[in-house]
Amino acid sequence: MFNKIDAIKGVINNFNSNPYVKKNKTKVLLRIFLWQIKSRLKNNITVTWINNLKINISQGDTGFTGNIYYGLQDYDDMLFAIRFLGNNDLFIDVGANCGSYSILASMVSEAEVIAFEPNTATFLKLKKNIELNYSGEKIQLRKIGISNKIGRESITINGGPKNFIVDRLSKENTELIAVSTLNAELQNLQPTFLKIDVEGHEIQVLEGATEILKNKGVSVVIVEANGMTERYGYSDNYISNFVKNFGFTQCVYDKDNNKVRESSKIIPGNTIFIRSIEFVNTKLQNGQNKKIDFFTIKI
């Protein structure tokens, strides 16, 4: 189960690797200090994020607090999404959590978004963050889990961004949720970019998205790869091979040159799969001048 030690490790890892942090260590340390104080004095704080976007977060929302510390918590992946996406794209956010990727896709890149989040408490936070940024017209919110079947499943409720689907006989604190498949949810739609972050349940999501993955209009699939699939009996390599069978190439994003390139190595975090490297790199070059203002962040 997610705990404070995991959160501390995440802060340390980001502090050592995030490019923004390397140039702004004092500013970031001050933000971390201010957040730790304010979040203990008041719950549900609305803060200003990049580009004057607003986010409402609480202590324990580690899937979002990194954004106010470092600007972009998943720096490389978020920068890639911002630069690639445009107003003619449909971004699918499976495991949207509090909405960081969805808000960036809609408000910075001007893409259309469908965001899936099944946990009741997290969904309410997601909904509030969308409303704070008046992005309701660009984002569809769906309170449903995504899997390889249509039905109901149990999901943990005390893990914050680390809640995950469990057996109904589990002794974890859970809630019963509706689940569906991307094949069913995205019928007659033309998604461009799939982001899947579901704490180990990724292969089930992909198994229920076979028709979507066959669609040549899907240019990018980002899948969380951190070993959590092992709780369901799968490996990150299995996921990689599954996606590549649909004509995708496993890649890494070179943020300094703003290009993707093929990679045989699965890097812990998120793995990027690309349909056409040439097409994606062209879109990245066209989107490299999008404004990302880190100076508006205010706790």
Side-chain angles (χ1 to χ4, degrees), residues 44 63 79 121 140 194 219 278 287-288:
N44 293 321
L79 187 62
Q140 295 182 40
L194 309 181
S219 298
E278 181 180 2
Q288 67 181 348

Side-chain angles (χ1 to χ4, degrees), residues 180-196:
S180 184
T181 67
L182 287 182
N183 287 340
E185 294 294 316
L186 303 180
Q187 281 187 4
N188 302 318
L189 295 175
Q190 181 59 73
T192 310
F193 190 133
L194 309 181
K195 185 224 96 181
I196 304 170

